[in-house]
Amino acid sequence: MDELQPSDLNILLVEPSNAQSKVIEHELACEGIHSIDFVSGMQEALERIDTIRPDLVISCYHYADGTALDLLREIRGQEELEDLPFMLVTSESRRERLEEFKQSGVVAILPKPFTHEHLRRAINSTLDLLTTQDLDLDLFDPETLRVMVVDDSRLARKVVIKVLTNLGIENLTEATDGSEAIEILKGSSFDLVVTDYNMPEVNGVELTEHIRASEAHGHVPVLMVTSEANQTHLANVAQSGVNAMMDKPFEPESVRRLLGTILNG
């Protein structure tokens, strides 16, 4: 099967501004993407999604009949659409306004104005989510690699698992927070733990510290995924013994590179 190219993508663009639509259309055309459906609001977007099932939804934040968050909630609330790639283009920078987008597994959050490089990376992330790429490891066979994914957001776990599965990793265990992960570790062994930072009861730092203090699991690599921007908190993460950190939303290619570095020693 030929490798999926940007030109193969069918995009649904939700943008009430004709001027902004033209800007995004131009940038997509520079990537060879010409199959674009244009809608101006939430209801029209939902109707079009039911009809065409796009490969990627690109949306601004505000429409006359709702917001991108309303649209994303509607999409993620339908099981058959849970993994539909979603990209937000917004001038919004407040962390609390963007947090739910990050926890819902959006492929990218692009600022207004965005650069072409921003868009290119987001398109590449979409292609990575839609295709498989083998993980090249010296010490492990990806098919037998034992990985635990820890996140209190089911949707965020689903995205991480999708990325790992696309890399050929099949032996995956889920935990809803650090507390459940610690219980699972009592009876299981893993080659890698991928954990969120912000979780109830036991957060990612506390989970990592528990792993590092464990005689049985102290050697297990930990990859932390976080939307945290507070530098003090990030310093605590770095000191907890994690092997690598990734921002939410993350790029699948970055996951592949980090896993190669971590697991190849």
Side-chain angles (χ1 to χ4, degrees), residues 130-239:
L130 296 173
T131 57
T132 60
Q133 184 176 12
D134 291 338
L135 183 62
D136 186 17
L137 298 176
D138 296 331
L139 304 177
F140 296 94
D141 179 352
E143 292 184 2
T144 60
L145 194 69
R146 300 162 298 176
V147 180
M148 178 160 61
V149 178
V150 190
D151 199 310
D152 58 311
S153 166
R154 181 180 61 83
L155 292 173
R157 290 198 310 273
K158 187 178 179 68
V159 172
V160 173
I161 288 171
K162 172 69 172 175
V163 171
L164 296 177
T165 301
N166 283 355
L167 294 175
I169 299 173
E170 301 176 357
N171 193 345
L172 294 157
T173 300
E174 296 182 53
T176 56
D177 60 25
S179 178
E180 183 179 3
I182 289 172
E183 287 300 312
I184 292 172
L185 285 168
K186 291 178 180 179
S188 303
S189 297
F190 295 93
D191 302 304
L192 173 70
V193 172
V194 181
T195 181
D196 186 28
Y197 170 65
N198 287 304
M199 295 183 292
E201 295 190 39
V202 177
N203 64 31
V205 169
E206 293 164 335
L207 172 60
T208 302
E209 290 173 343
H210 173 85
I211 290 172
R212 291 291 169 259
S214 167
E215 183 176 344
H217 306 292
H219 64 285
V220 176
V222 177
L223 173 59
M224 188 171 291
V225 184
T226 177
S227 59
E228 182 60 59
N230 184 290
Q231 293 302 311
T232 300
H233 290 173
L234 291 177
N236 291 336
V237 170
Q239 293 171 8

Side-chain angles (χ1 to χ4, degrees), residues 113-134:
F114 60 84
T115 67
H116 188 73
E117 181 60 26
H118 285 143
L119 181 68
R120 175 177 294 163
R121 290 170 62 175
I123 293 299
N124 287 338
S125 292
T126 301
L127 293 174
D128 287 339
L129 284 172
L130 296 173
T131 57
T132 60
Q133 184 176 12
D134 291 338

Side-chain angles (χ1 to χ4, degrees), residues 102 224-229 234 245-251:
K102 294 179 179 181
M224 188 171 291
V225 184
T226 177
S227 59
E228 182 60 59
L234 291 177
M245 286 187 288
M246 292 188 306
D247 294 329
K248 286 183 178 179
F250 58 83
E251 298 173 3

